């Protein structure tokens, strides 16, 4: 591959980011990483991304494509090349062996086990430039957050009307989003490690919390927050189709469940609610989770927000309005978070917004 595009540093890093996200759902708990190799004439001679955990890293794939054209070239990488032997060899050494003359890094690696690739390369005569690029940081946010906090990246996802309601009047269809958005939800589910739901929503809607009619890169753990273990024994999330974890309070009466893929986690209380911090740490330590989605309901969202656990919001907004003060509405809660918009896309008749909850990061 040899393409002359006459781009600048930020353009090359942006292209590396576009490559990196192709690994979402396949590389975690590793970071999503992309690499672009450019020769002295400005030709792109190699591109690569980390495709799957345990397989070659982005730099190795890009070097393989570039071949001998890598000698004297510049490598643009979203994350500092690793400098350790894990499932694969150190990328810093591979870049050096290939004759790369310069490495431009979009973000430093905070993982003490893998960091130091930039220092290693510089000591061996390779020019190393750290850009601390915003786009790279956004893509790496779940990985960085997990390394720095030992917590997963928590996304709160809900569907709402244009006036903020997340439930419909009795007798009407419970679906607020259109079919295109429902499909998008399943695609998103297929890239995360766990889906968290409050027991009230399980009782009201009896969801399955599985990935349907979409490619599932991962099988997300179903997590029900149920302080008193009042979940119905015939709830779909207890069908054993995929593993389910029930987080409950200290004095909850045990459920009689046999031959099902169900586990339990007792949580302490904080300010009258279950403390969800131990749950999040448990998901990292026992399930190797990087990304989790909280899907409601309103009370569960409030607890997540009050405990400063939310990192991002995905809000699927329908053009319809309801205007019924007796139904659950997220408008005041959303305003209190003071989030920053990351992205807006159109999904059928709906608008899908991604927001960063910056106060927690």
């Amino acid at each position: 591959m040899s393409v002359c595009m006459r781009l600048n540093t930020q353009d090359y890093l942006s292209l590396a980011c576009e490559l990196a996200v192709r690994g979402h759902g396949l590389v975690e708990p590793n970071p999503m990483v992309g690499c672009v190799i450019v020769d002295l004439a400005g030709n792109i001679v190699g591109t690569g991304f980390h495709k799957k955990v345990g397989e070659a890293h982005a730099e190795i794939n890009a070097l393989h494509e570039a071949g001998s054209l890598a000698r004297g070239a510049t490598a643009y990488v979203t994350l500092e090349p690793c400098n350790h032997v894990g499932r694969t060899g150190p990328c810093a050494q591979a870049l050096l062996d290939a004759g790369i003359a310069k490495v431009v890094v979009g973000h430093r690696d905070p993982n003490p086990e893998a960091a130091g690739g930039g220092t290693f390369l510089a000591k061996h005569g390779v020019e190393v430039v750290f850009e601390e690029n915003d786009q790279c940081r956004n893509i790496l946010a779940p990985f960085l957050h997990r390394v720095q906090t030992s917590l997963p990246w928590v996304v709160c996802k809900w569907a709402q009307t244009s006036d903020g309601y997340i439930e419909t009047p009795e007798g009407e269809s419970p679906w607020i989003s259109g079919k295109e958005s429902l499909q998008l939800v399943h695609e998103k589910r297929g890239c995360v490690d766990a889906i968290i739901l409050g027991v009230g929503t399980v009782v009201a809607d009896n969801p399955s919390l599985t990935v349907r009619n979409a490619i599932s890169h991962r099988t997300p753990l179903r997590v029900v927050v149920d302080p008193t273990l009042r979940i119905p024994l015939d709830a779909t999330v207890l069908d054993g189709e995929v593993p389910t974890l029930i987080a409950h309070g200290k004095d909850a009466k045990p459920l009689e469940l046999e031959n099902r893929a169900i586990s339990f986690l007792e949580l302490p209380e904080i300010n009258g609610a279950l403390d969800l911090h131990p749950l999040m740490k448990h998901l990292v330590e026992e399930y190797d989770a990087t990304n989790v989605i909280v899907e409601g309901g309103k009370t569960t969202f409030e607890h997540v927000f009050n405990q400063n656990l939310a990192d991002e919001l995905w809000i699927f907004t329908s053009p319809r309005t309801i205007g019924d003060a007796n139904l659950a509405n997220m408008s005041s809660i959303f305003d209190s978070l003071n989030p920053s918009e990351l992205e807006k896309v159109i999904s059928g008749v709906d608008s899908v917004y991604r927001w960063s909850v910056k106060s927690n990061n």
Side-chain angles (χ1 to χ4, degrees):
M1 175 181 183
S2 180
V3 180
C4 185
M5 303 177 69
R6 299 186 183 278
L7 303 178
N8 60 32
T9 294
Q10 300 308 315
D11 292 328
Y12 290 128
L13 285 175
S14 181
L15 177 56
C17 287
E18 292 175 13
L19 291 165
V21 296
R22 297 183 188 179
H24 183 36
L26 293 168
V27 304
E28 292 84 358
N30 286 355
M32 295 182 288
V33 180
C35 178
V36 176
I37 297 176
V38 182
D39 68 13
L40 291 174
N43 300 307
I44 296 176
V45 296
T47 61
F49 64 97
H50 186 26
K51 296 180 179 180
K52 189 175 182 179
V53 64
E55 296 184 359
H57 289 186
E59 298 94 324
I60 305 304
N61 290 326
L63 288 171
H64 178 75
E65 185 174 276
S68 62
L69 296 177
R71 186 160 299 278
T74 298
Y76 296 84
V77 192
T78 55
L79 180 68
E80 181 181 7
C82 67
N83 192 39
H84 78 309
V85 177
R87 292 186 177 99
T88 61
C91 292
Q93 184 67 58
L95 291 166
L96 180 65
D97 292 343
I100 290 291
K102 179 179 179 180
V103 176
V104 178
V105 178
H107 201 286
R108 293 180 185 272
D109 192 340
N111 184 355
E113 294 183 0
T119 300
F120 170 85
L121 288 165
K123 284 183 178 179
H124 288 81
V126 178
E127 181 183 356
V128 179
V129 178
F130 287 94
E131 285 289 326
E132 301 302 329
N133 177 272
D134 287 344
Q135 188 177 0
C136 294
R137 184 175 65 252
N138 289 337
I139 287 174
L140 291 164
F143 167 76
L144 300 173
H145 181 70
R146 174 176 150 145
V147 170
Q148 294 165 346
T149 68
S150 298
L151 296 172
W153 186 257
V154 178
V155 175
C156 290
K157 188 276 297 179
W158 68 83
Q160 67 175 33
T161 61
S162 61
D163 50 352
Y165 289 91
I166 61 172
E167 61 182 6
T168 58
E170 186 175 353
E172 293 189 14
S173 169
W175 302 114
I176 293 175
S177 300
K179 61 181 182 180
E180 295 87 356
S181 293
L182 294 175
Q183 176 67 26
L184 182 57
V185 167
H186 285 282
E187 293 173 2
K188 296 291 188 183
R189 283 181 176 179
C191 291
V192 304
D193 300 292
I195 304 169
I196 301 175
L197 199 65
V199 68
T201 303
V202 173
V203 172
D205 300 337
N206 193 27
S208 64
L209 297 186
T210 55
V211 180
R212 301 184 298 280
N213 302 317
I215 295 175
S216 183
H217 296 309
R218 312 177 88 77
T219 299
L221 175 73
R222 300 183 292 196
V223 181
V224 179
V225 179
D226 184 2
T228 61
L229 289 178
R230 65 185 179 95
I231 187 171
L233 295 183
D234 61 351
T236 302
V237 293
L238 301 181
D239 61 10
E241 180 181 341
V242 297
T244 297
L245 171 67
I246 302 179
H248 60 86
K250 180 179 179 181
D251 298 322
K253 182 179 178 180
L255 295 178
E256 296 297 329
L257 296 173
E258 298 180 358
N259 302 320
R260 305 191 199 181
I262 312 297
S263 55
F264 296 85
L265 178 67
E266 182 180 304
L267 297 178
E269 286 194 6
I270 181 172
N271 298 325
L274 292 185
D275 185 351
L276 300 179
H277 284 85
L279 169 60
M280 300 304 178
K281 285 186 176 292
H282 182 77
L283 293 177
V284 171
E285 294 169 358
E286 298 299 323
Y287 296 93
D288 218 6
T290 299
N291 297 284
V292 304
I293 299 177
V294 180
E295 294 200 0
K298 183 179 179 181
T299 299
T300 301
F301 286 137
E302 289 176 328
H303 293 161
V304 171
F305 297 143
N306 290 339
Q307 295 177 33
N308 294 319
L309 286 168
D311 300 293
E312 192 171 314
L313 312 177
W314 294 345
I315 304 178
F316 293 72
T317 304
S318 163
R320 67 179 293 193
T321 58
I322 290 182
D324 186 339
N326 295 315
L327 299 175
N329 189 290
M330 294 295 291
S331 296
S332 61
I333 294 176
F334 173 83
D335 291 340
S336 71
L337 298 173
N338 193 30
S340 299
E341 185 176 330
L342 295 173
E343 182 183 30
K344 174 186 176 182
V345 298
I346 302 300
S347 176
V349 298
D350 303 325
S351 296
V352 183
Y353 296 88
R354 287 179 58 235
W355 300 83
S356 171
V357 187
K358 289 188 175 180
S359 61
N360 301 327
N361 299 301

